[in-house]
Every structure is written in structure tokens, then in C-alpha cells.
Amino acid sequence: MKKLLLSLCTLLSFSSFLSGQELLIPFEQSNGKETATYEEAIAFYQQLDDQYAQVRMVEAGISDAGKPIHLVLISREGLSSPVELGDRLFLLINNAIHPGEPCGVDASMMLARDLVRDPEMKAYLDHVVIGIIPAYNIGGMLNRGCCSRANQDGPAAYGFRGNARNYDLNRDFIKADTRNAKSFAEIFHRWLPDLFVDTHTTNGADYQADLTLIPTQQDKLQPDVAAYMQENLVPGLIEQMGNMNIPVCPYVNSVGRTPDQGIADFLDLPRYSSGYAALFQTMSFITEAHMLKAFDARVRATYVFLALLIQKANQDYERITSLVDAARRFDQEAEDFPVRWVLDKNDTTHLLFAGYEATYLESELTGGQRLFYDRSKPYKKYIPFYQHYLPTDFVSVPEAYIIPQAYTEVIAQLKRNGVLMESLNEDIRLEVEVSYMDEVKSMGRPYEGHFYHTEVNPRLDTQAIQFYAGDQVIWMDQIRNRFISHVLEPVAQDSYFRWNYFDGVLMRKEYFSPYVFEDAAVEMLGENPGLREAFEEKKATDSTFVKNPYAQLNFIYQRSPYAEPTYLRYPVARWWGKRNLPTR
């Protein structure tokens, strides 16, 4: 380990970095002031591919910008297919999801080169295969300028957060509106990584750390995987980086206005890259280099973290792959899954935090109070640290889900994520469990292209439903069961229902004319004592209802034979019977 630290320290003194050798990147040529353009990054990796047998660069999908998303594979023998992995660990690194945060772009370029040129680092490839996405948000990387990151120290020019369609790709992994996200899913499931890293630069408070980390939120992982990350992997990496004079701490997700009031684990929902990866039990990190540190220090910190993670993965490859494999088998057999969480404010530990004293000054501009971090007053003290989230909703796993073939985009999304399904080969009527979406509230303004449903409280019912040959059956005996439950159960925080894939059922297609229907309503009340009792109770307990004639008629209409059975009925059904459906 000591030899490794010395080697990395030598490699990372950028003024002498591979002095006199070719394949220096723009970051090195500019003394740490510039980041590579999209064209420069791809050309660099193509050179590596041309010169080193251990490097293969392939086109692995398309972006909204129309240019290909590349995957750079680094292995001891230059493999090109997952079937060649054997018992090795696969680590996927994603860069430039936010191209204004380009530390990982440059760190990964140097890392790829050093892994095939430096004898000690070559040994990291004994049991690890690395995949690098050089530029994920290509449209944003092409939209290059100097100033979109107003609070960030360098580089001289960089890309933009939004992609070619102005989507934030780190909110798109589940809903997958973009071609980028669809391509990522295909890459991810072709290789199904054991470890995943997404490189970023943070916003927010000022503090001493050069790098902060968002590991997968531990309560969303199978317990053995979570324990390894929290007790071994994360503290070990932080300690090693501290030994190299690169201060690292957990992501500063403040519960108050300043970090000294406490920080909380970030709840990485499946819309985010690490939350998406967690649905498949992949151990993940988001690196967040601190925006107020110089660009060369941010790149250095990102490089060192990636190098140390690869080294650790090589050492622990058997343990990591066995834990991940066991966790996926656990998901395959689980009877239920948590799908919503809330921060547990009663479970508090303490974190030794290196920050700067915060105070408030009178603003010369506004006359109000402005927050000021005083770098002349650094501190190290223990602050509250909230590391746990409590599940608030669990969903039981049925024998199967049945999806009408009309929902082609949902079916395509599921298949893109490796979900196996079978087609009914005949028309059939089945007794299934369905959900009625009686209570749904939505955002008043669009969020990433959607009117996301913030509140979803379904009502369950059992009904005989007609299905047809070609409708899709998803048997719940797959390693992707956790993902399937999260996207198909409406209450899940990032379900397809919440992201508007099924909004057609939220609008009634037929109506009644009150002046015609009232006679029928009176007749129904006379013939149905139970309906009359419910109607009278509603009037007795709801003063608004009493004053609304249309609401009263609608109450009866909704309980009449004229009501649409598909209105508010979620189309995906749960099958609880035996595995004896006629499928092919």
C-alpha cells in the first residue's frame, strides 16, 4: 500500500506528469487549467485503442445530439464482450453527465492511459475490467462556454448541464425520455456492473474537503452489500485519500442552512444514476469534487479516488462479486420491497467534520443578511449525521404482472432494462388484482418534462379482466424484481405511473347529462338500499357535497352500470395464481 501511495503521488504531480512522453491531455498541457472537449476526449481514447491491446473503444448507443455514446473497455487482454469476463469484476465509470462538472472527464483519460502504461497500475487489471463512458451528455459537452457554473473555480471553458433537449440526464434514468438514458440502460444491462461511479462537481456550502462522496444509500441495498460498503469500502477509501493529503467526507447534504447543524445521507432515488444502479444491487458512488477548490485539485482528487477504488476492487473482487451476486438472488426470491422512504431523524450518529465558521454579514448590495464562510476560521468538530431512511411503503411481490400490449413504450422500457417477459398466446379472462387511482396530486409546473404525480394513494380491487393474445406477462422470479416493483407499483417514488406513462386512465371518456340522468338516479336509489344508505351518509357528513347537485348525481353515476370500469383503473394487473397462464 505504501508503494502504491508513493506511486500515485508521483503520478499526480502534474508539472512532471509523464514528462516528455506523448499522450498528454489538454488538462496537463495547460497546467491544470483546461478540460478536454468532446472531440479531444474521443480522439485521445481512439489513440489509446490504436496503441494498446488492452483498450477497446466501441460505439455503445446514440445520444440526443445525434452523436454516438462510446464505451472504453480496459482489460488485461482487450476483451470486447461480457461473456469474456469470467469471474472478474466489472466497474463502470460515467463522465460528463453534467459537462460543466468535468473533473471525471480528465481524470478518466489520465487513468485509462496510466492503467496500460504504468507497471504497478497494470496489476489492477488482474481481476477487474473497467468500462469508461468518456462523455455521456454529448449535447451538453458540445454546448461549451465559460460561465454557466457561476460559483465554480475553473476550468477556463466547459460544457452545459442540460443535454441537447435541455434535460438534466441525472433525473432521467427511470423515466428515460432521452436517447442518452435509453443507451445507458443498454450499456448497463449488457455489462451489469458490480461497481459504478458517476463523476460530478458539487454545489452548496464551503468546507475543507476536496471531494465528497455519495455512496448508495445503505437502506436501499441488501443488508450484506450495505454493510460491506459502510464498514469496509467507504471508510477505507476515505482513510487512504486522507493519507495522501486529499481530504474527503460524505456529501454535504445539510439539514439546516449550514453544515454544522448536521448533514444527512442523500436519498438517491431511482431517477438518479446511483439510485438506478441500486435497483440491481450494484455498489455505486457519485463523486462530488468541491466547486470552490481549484480545478487541478478537483481532478487530482477524482483521479485518486478512481485509482484507489480500482485497486480495492482488484483486491476484493471475490468478496464484492459474491456479495452482489447473492444480493441479486435475494431480490429474485424476495416477497416484498420497500418503495418509499423518509429520513429517520431519531437515528443520529456524529461525524468529525472539517468546515469553516459560518456567519452573517450585512449585504452591501441588498441591505439584507448574507451567509459568509470565514476561511480564516477553520474548525474540526463533531456534527449530527443522519445516515438512515425508514421505509414508509412496502409492496408485495405477485406471481406475475400482466401488461396490456397497448403500452408499447412501457414494454420497451422494461425490455431495455433486461426484464424478461412472455406473451399470452390466447385471449383469456382472469381474476386479477387492480388499482384504482382515486387520489392523485401532481406538480403544478413541469419537472424535467413531466407533471410528476406527488401523491398517489391507490384503492385495490379484485376483478375479472379480459386479456388478449400478445399481452405481456412478467413472472416475478428474476434478479431484476426490485426494479420491476419500483417501476410498476404506482406508489413507488419513481414509478412509471408517477412519471405520467399511464395518464390516459386519469380522464373519463364518457359523461352524463344531469337533466337526463336524474330520473335514472332516483330509480337506482329506490331499487338499491345500500346505494341509498351510502348516498345519505355522504350528505350527512359532507356539507360541500350537499350544496353541489352535480357531485350528488356523479356519486350515483360512479356506482351505476353506466360508469366506465377503466376510468382511474391502473392498466397493469397483478396475478396471484399459479404459473399456468397460456404464454409463449
Side-chain angles (χ1 to χ4, degrees):
M1 175 59 67
K2 188 173 182 180
K3 188 175 181 181
L4 166 70
L5 297 180
L6 290 172
S7 174
L8 284 175
C9 287
T10 301
L11 285 170
L12 291 166
S13 58
F14 292 122
S15 61
S16 60
F17 198 100
L18 293 175
S19 176
Q21 299 187 43
E22 60 181 3
L23 288 175
L24 295 181
I25 68 172
F27 172 81
E28 296 162 303
Q29 295 167 349
S30 64
N31 291 318
K33 303 297 183 185
E34 296 181 7
T35 183
T37 65
Y38 167 73
E39 293 83 3
E40 288 168 337
I42 300 305
F44 173 84
Y45 283 110
Q46 188 58 61
Q47 281 186 282
L48 285 182
D49 184 310
D50 293 341
Q51 295 182 26
Y52 294 93
Q54 299 96 331
V55 180
R56 296 285 299 273
M57 183 168 71
V58 297
E59 293 184 6
I62 195 71
S63 70
D64 278 350
K67 295 183 181 297
I69 293 174
H70 291 85
L71 179 66
V72 177
L73 297 165
I74 304 172
S75 64
R76 63 192 178 208
E77 79 280 41
L79 64 70
S80 57
S81 168
V83 298
E84 302 171 60
L85 271 173
D87 63 354
R88 284 174 290 181
L89 179 152
F90 188 77
L91 166 63
L92 179 63
I93 301 170
N94 190 39
N95 295 307
I97 191 170
H98 296 152
E101 308 169 19
C103 308
V105 172
D106 304 289
S108 293
M109 291 168 71
M110 294 186 293
L111 181 67
R113 177 193 62 201
D114 300 341
L115 283 166
V116 297
R117 298 180 81 163
D118 180 81
E120 289 187 27
M121 295 183 72
K122 277 184 181 180
Y124 298 174
L125 302 177
D126 287 347
H127 304 292
V128 176
V129 174
I130 299 158
I132 297 173
I133 299 176
Y136 178 50
N137 181 358
I138 297 172
M141 203 164 176
L142 294 172
N143 187 7
R144 192 173 171 95
C146 67
C147 307
S148 61
R149 297 275 295 175
N151 301 318
Q152 184 171 288
D153 185 359
Y158 43 82
F160 181 65
R161 187 181 186 91
N163 88 326
R165 294 173 57 198
N166 208 36
Y167 276 87
D168 185 335
L169 294 180
N170 204 27
R171 310 291 186 273
D172 197 40
F173 285 92
I174 281 291
K175 60 187 179 67
D177 290 321
T178 62
R179 288 193 288 178
N180 302 64
K182 292 177 173 66
S183 295
F184 182 90
E186 291 170 357
I187 294 169
F188 188 93
H189 291 286
R190 174 171 167 76
W191 292 92
L192 201 55
D194 305 285
L195 286 170
F196 171 70
V197 183
D198 200 355
T199 61
H200 291 248
T201 301
T202 189
N203 295 303
D206 196 7
Y207 41 80
Q208 297 178 41
D210 289 351
L211 188 77
T212 68
L213 295 177
I214 304 176
T216 307
Q217 208 292 311
Q218 58 187 298
D219 300 303
K220 296 170 63 203
L221 288 171
Q222 192 273 340
D224 292 338
V225 176
Y228 172 78
M229 286 198 74
Q230 290 297 317
E231 298 168 14
N232 186 314
L233 189 57
V234 174
L237 290 167
I238 290 176
E239 180 182 5
Q240 286 178 270
M241 294 191 72
N243 291 339
M244 299 180 67
N245 296 316
I246 302 175
V248 179
C249 74
Y251 180 66
V252 182
N253 182 29
S254 299
V255 297
R257 192 168 183 193
T258 56
D260 57 324
Q261 296 173 274
I263 65 174
D265 262 8
F266 180 74
L267 183 61
D268 51 349
L269 297 174
R271 69 190 66 176
Y272 305 111
S273 62
S274 62
Y276 170 85
L279 293 180
F280 311 99
Q281 297 292 353
T282 296
M283 301 184 196
S284 302
F285 289 94
I286 294 178
T287 61
E288 294 274 4
H290 189 213
M291 64 179 182
L292 297 178
K293 302 301 189 290
F295 183 56
D296 60 345
R298 302 202 308 269
V299 173
R300 176 176 183 258
T302 304
Y303 177 106
V304 173
F305 174 80
L306 294 174
L308 290 173
L309 179 62
I310 295 168
Q311 186 212 28
K312 178 66 171 175
N314 188 59
Q315 292 174 343
D316 271 14
Y317 80 99
E318 288 182 310
R319 185 176 182 187
I320 292 172
T321 55
S322 65
L323 282 170
V324 171
D325 288 345
R328 289 170 178 161
R329 291 194 301 273
F330 173 88
D331 283 356
Q332 189 171 7
E333 299 170 2
E335 296 182 354
D336 56 40
F337 292 110
V339 293
R340 286 206 296 178
W341 298 264
V342 64
L343 181 66
D344 186 356
K345 293 185 177 179
N346 295 316
D347 189 341
T348 313
T349 58
H350 287 85
L351 171 73
L352 183 60
F353 183 76
Y356 300 111
E357 186 175 309
T359 187
Y360 293 88
L361 306 176
E362 183 176 343
S363 168
E364 296 180 6
L365 178 66
T366 68
Q369 294 290 300
R370 60 167 291 195
L371 178 62
F372 175 71
Y373 289 96
D374 191 343
R375 287 198 168 189
S376 70
K377 297 179 180 179
Y379 67 77
K380 280 190 178 181
K381 64 181 180 182
Y382 285 95
I383 64 172
F385 188 22
Y386 303 91
Q387 290 185 276
H388 289 285
Y389 284 80
L390 294 172
T392 60
D393 287 272
F394 283 85
V395 294
S396 298
V397 177
E399 187 71 21
Y401 290 98
I402 307 177
I403 306 177
Q405 59 198 287
Y407 290 88
T408 55
E409 183 54 28
V410 171
I411 293 167
Q413 293 281 39
L414 290 164
K415 288 183 176 179
R416 194 175 290 118
N417 281 279
V419 174
L420 304 176
M421 55 187 76
E422 299 175 0
S423 297
L424 289 174
N425 58 21
E426 64 181 56
D427 297 352
I428 188 171
R429 193 169 182 84
L430 297 171
E431 190 90 357
V432 294
E433 184 179 70
V434 295
S435 300
Y436 277 89
M437 316 310 294
D438 295 335
E439 299 179 42
V440 177
K441 293 184 180 179
S442 310
M443 285 185 167
R445 291 176 60 86
Y447 172 75
E448 291 299 318
H450 290 255
F451 286 90
Y452 174 82
H453 297 314
T454 55
E455 293 185 31
V456 176
N457 296 295
R459 168 176 57 88
L460 299 182
D461 194 14
T462 300
Q463 294 181 359
I465 303 290
Q466 181 68 47
F467 296 96
Y468 299 94
D471 290 345
Q472 298 295 301
V473 179
I474 299 175
W475 299 108
M476 292 300 285
D477 57 358
Q478 310 182 36
I479 63 171
R480 291 170 174 83
N481 278 0
R482 186 179 296 262
F483 169 81
I484 297 166
S485 295
H486 274 73
V487 297
L488 292 186
E489 288 291 344
V491 297
Q493 279 177 279
D494 272 341
S495 68
Y496 287 158
F497 178 83
R498 287 186 185 266
W499 286 111
N500 309 124
Y501 274 84
F502 298 97
D503 278 5
V505 304
L506 299 181
M507 181 180 175
R508 188 187 295 169
K509 300 303 181 288
E510 295 284 2
Y511 296 86
F512 63 88
S513 295
Y515 79 96
V516 177
F517 181 68
E518 183 158 344
D519 292 336
V522 171
E523 185 176 341
M524 279 185 277
L525 288 176
E527 295 174 350
N528 189 332
L531 177 60
R532 174 174 287 280
E533 182 180 350
F535 180 67
E536 295 298 338
E537 182 181 356
K538 179 71 171 175
K539 288 198 298 181
T541 57
D542 189 338
S543 59
T544 303
F545 182 74
V546 173
K547 298 174 184 178
N548 189 332
Y550 184 86
Q552 294 178 52
L553 287 172
N554 190 54
F555 182 92
I556 299 168
Y557 175 80
Q558 288 300 319
R559 291 154 179 80
S560 77
Y562 303 107
E564 301 171 31
T566 55
Y567 174 50
L568 299 179
R569 191 175 73 194
Y570 179 56
V572 179
R574 300 175 195 85
W575 169 248
W576 294 96
K578 296 180 180 179
R579 188 164 180 160
N580 58 0
L581 298 180
T583 60
R584 58 175 180 271

